[in-house]
C-alpha cells in the first residue's frame, strides 16, 4: 500500500510542475519515514549525498557539458551544415540530408540533444525554408536530427545510464556509434522517400564547385580531429571515458580560441552554464538515490522481477511492453528523469530475462529519441518551434514519418543485437 501511495505522490508532484529532483526526494523521503521511521530516513539523508557523488566516472558529465558549450560557442554548427549541404545538396532532399549529417557531426561533439536541436533550428532550418522546402518537413528533419547527440560517444544520457546501471561506460559510449550511423541513414532515407513521393516538398539547390567542397571540408577538420580524440582514445584503451572527456573539453576550448570566440565574458557564461547543468544532473542523481533506497527497503524491484518472471509470455513481449512504456514516458517527461526513475527498477528485470545491459542501454536511448518527438510534450519539437518561430503542431506533423521510421530502427536493433554489441566487443579493454 505504501509503495502505491508514494508512486502516486511522485506523479502528482511531477504533474503540478515540481522539479524532478525535489519530487523524488520528497516522495522517497516520505516513503522511507512511513516504512522505517525517522531513524531510517535520517540515516539515508546523512549518507546519500556523499555516496551519490563519489563515483570517479561522474566527472565525465561536467567535462562533456563544458565540451558541448565550448563547441556551441565556436559556431562550428554553421560550418558543418554548409559542408554537408555542399556535398549532398544536389540530391533530392539534399539540404534535409545535410541537416541529418550536421546533426550527427555536431552531436558527436555536443552530447545533449536539446543543444543540438536548438543549434540546428537556428542554422539549417532557415536555410531550408529559404530554398523553398516545405516548412513542416524541414522542421521535422531538424527535430529528429537533434536527437542523434544522445547516441554518440559524448552522450550525457549514456553516461548517466552507465552510472545508474553500473556497466562499463567506455563500452557503452562506443556501442552507440554504429546505431547512430544506422539511424542517420534511416533519417536520410526517410527524407529521400518523402521527396520522391512529392518533389515539391524540397526543390533542388544549385551545384557547388569541387574546389569549394574541399575548402569547406578543410574547415570542419578540427571537429573531426576532436571527435577522433574522444572516441579513438576510449576505443583503443588509451584513456578512460573520464580522461577522454577532459581531452575533449580542452580540445573544444582550443577550437573556440582558434575561431576567436573566447573572451572573459563568453568564457564566464560558458563555464557558468556547464556548472549549472552539472549541478542539476548531480542533484537529480542524489535525489534518485533517496527514492532508490525506498524501493530497496520495500523490495518493490524484487517483487516486480518475481511477478514478471512468473508470467507465461515470451521475453520479447516483455521487452516490447517496456519499450512502449518508455515511448509514452518520453512524450511528457525529461529523459534524465526517466533514466533515474526507471533504470534501477527495469535493469534487474532486463538482466533476469537474459538481455545484455549495454544493448538495452542503447535501445533505451533510441527509444528516448522517439519520445522526444512524440506529442504532447516532445521536448525537441518545442525547442525547434521556439527557436525557429514555427507552430509546434507543424513540427509534430513533420516528425511523424520519422517516428514511424524510428520504430522500424528499434525493431531491427532488437532483432539483431550485434549491430549494437559488435564494436564494444572488439574494444582493447
Amino acid at each position: 500500500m505504501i509503495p502505491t501511495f508514494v508512486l502516486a505522490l511522485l506523479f502528482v508532484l511531477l504533474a503540478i510542475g515540481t522539479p524532478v529532483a525535489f519530487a523524488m526526494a520528497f516522495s522517497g523521503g516520505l516513503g522511507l519515514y512511513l516504512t522505517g521511521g525517522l531513524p531510517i530516513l535520517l540515516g539515508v539523508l546523512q549518507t546519500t549525498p556523499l555516496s551519490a557523488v563519489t563515483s570517479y566516472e561522474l566527472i565525465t558529465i561536467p567535462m562533456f557539458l563544458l565540451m558541448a558549450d565550448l563547441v556551441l560557442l565556436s559556431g562550428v554548427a554553421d560550418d558543418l551544415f554548409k559542408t554537408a549541404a555542399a556535398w549532398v545538396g544536389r540530391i533530392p532532399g539534399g539540404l534535409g540530408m545535410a541537416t541529418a549529417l550536421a546533426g550527427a557531426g555536431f552531436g558527436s561533439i555536443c552530447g545533449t540533444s536539446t543543444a543540438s536541436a536548438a543549434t540546428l533550428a537556428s542554422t539549417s532550418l532557415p536555410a531550408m525554408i529559404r530554398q523553398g522546402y516545405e516548412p513542416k518537413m524541414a522542421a521535422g528533419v531538424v527535430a529528429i536530427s537533434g536527437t542523434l547527440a544522445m547516441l554518440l560517444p559524448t552522450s550525457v544520457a549514456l553516461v548517466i545510464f552507465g552510472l545508474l546501471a553500473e556497466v562499463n561506460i567506455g563500452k557503452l559510449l562506443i556501442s552507440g556509434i554504429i546505431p547512430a550511423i544506422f539511424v542517420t541513414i534511416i533519417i536520410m532515407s526517410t527524407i529521400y522517400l518523402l521527396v520522391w513521393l512529392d518533389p515539391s516538398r524540397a526543390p533542388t539547390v544549385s551545384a557547388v564547385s569541387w574546389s569549394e567542397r574541399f575548402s569547406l571540408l578543410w574547415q570542419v577538420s578540427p571537429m573531426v580531429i576532436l571527435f577522433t580524440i574522444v572516441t579513438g582514445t576510449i576505443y583503443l584503451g588509451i584513456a578512460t571515458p573520464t580522461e577522454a572527456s577532459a581531452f575533449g573539453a580542452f580540445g573544444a576550448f582550443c577550437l573556440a580560441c582558434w575561431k576567436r570566440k573566447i573572451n572573459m565574458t563568453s568564457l564566464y557564461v560558458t563555464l557558468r552554464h556547464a556548472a549549472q547543468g552539472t549541478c542539476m544532473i548531480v542533484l537529480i542523481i542524489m535525489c534518485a538515490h533517496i527514492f532508490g533506497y525506498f524501493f530497496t527497503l520495500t523490495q518493490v524491484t524484487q517483487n516486480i522481477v518475481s511477478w514478471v518472471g512468473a508470467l507465461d509470455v515470451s521475453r520479447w513481449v516483455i521487452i516490447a511492453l517496456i519499450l512502449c512504456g518508455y515511448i509514452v514516458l518520453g512524450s511528457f517527461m525529461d529523459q534524465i528523469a526517466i533514466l533515474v526513475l526507471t533504470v534501477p527498477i527495469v535493469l534487474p528485470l532486463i538482466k533476469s530475462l537474459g538481455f545484455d545491459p549495454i544493448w538495452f542501454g542503447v535501445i533505451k536511448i533510441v527509444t528516448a529519441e522517439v519520445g522526444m518527438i512524440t506529442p504532447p510534450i516532445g521536448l525537441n519539437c518545442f525547442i525547434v518551434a521556439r527557436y525557429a518561430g514555427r507552430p509546434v503542431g507543424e513540427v509534430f506533423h513533420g516528425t511523424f514519418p520519422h517516428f514511424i521510421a524510428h520504430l522500424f530502427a528499434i525493431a531491427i536493433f532488437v532483432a539483431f543485437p550485434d549491430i549494437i554489441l559488435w564494436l564494444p566487443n572488439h574494444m582493447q579493454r
Side-chain angles (χ1 to χ4, degrees), residues 165-329:
E166 298 181 350
V167 298
N168 187 307
I169 293 178
K171 288 188 174 183
L172 190 59
L173 293 173
I174 294 299
S175 67
I177 295 177
I178 294 178
I181 295 171
F182 186 83
V183 170
T184 303
I185 294 171
I186 288 286
I187 294 172
M188 294 173 70
S189 301
T190 304
I191 295 167
Y192 185 85
L193 178 61
L194 290 171
V195 177
W196 179 74
L197 292 173
D198 184 0
S200 66
R201 288 173 171 153
T204 304
V205 299
S206 56
V208 177
S209 67
W210 284 100
S211 60
E212 187 175 350
R213 291 183 189 184
F214 284 106
S215 174
L216 289 169
L217 204 60
W218 173 254
Q219 287 184 19
V220 299
S221 59
M223 186 278 299
V224 177
I225 294 172
L226 184 59
F227 173 74
T228 303
I229 290 173
V230 175
T231 306
T233 53
I234 296 174
Y235 184 77
L236 296 174
I238 298 172
T240 66
T242 305
E243 294 163 345
S245 67
F247 292 151
F250 177 72
F253 176 77
C254 294
L255 179 61
C257 289
W258 181 61
K259 292 282 189 176
R260 301 182 185 275
K261 299 290 186 178
I262 291 289
N263 55 51
M264 291 303 296
T265 302
S266 64
L267 184 60
Y268 169 74
V269 171
T270 299
L271 291 172
R272 185 182 66 182
H273 189 264
Q276 288 173 337
T278 302
C279 290
M280 178 196 70
I281 292 172
V282 169
L283 183 62
I284 291 175
I285 292 174
M286 287 171 54
C287 295
H289 273 65
I290 297 174
F291 199 82
Y293 277 121
F294 165 70
F295 267 17
T296 301
L297 187 63
T298 54
Q299 295 190 325
V300 171
T301 304
Q302 296 92 319
N303 292 335
I304 291 175
V305 171
S306 300
W307 176 72
V308 172
L311 294 175
D312 188 21
V313 295
S314 167
R315 64 175 187 159
W316 299 106
V317 173
I318 296 172
I319 195 72
L321 291 174
I322 290 172
L323 295 178
C324 288
Y326 271 126
I327 293 175
V328 173
L329 285 175

Side-chain angles (χ1 to χ4, degrees), residues 125-151:
L125 183 57
M128 284 190 283
I129 291 177
R130 281 197 303 270
Q131 289 293 331
Y133 270 59
E134 183 183 53
K136 68 179 181 182
M137 188 185 100
V141 170
V142 170
I144 193 62
S145 298
T147 65
L148 290 168
M150 298 176 67
L151 270 178

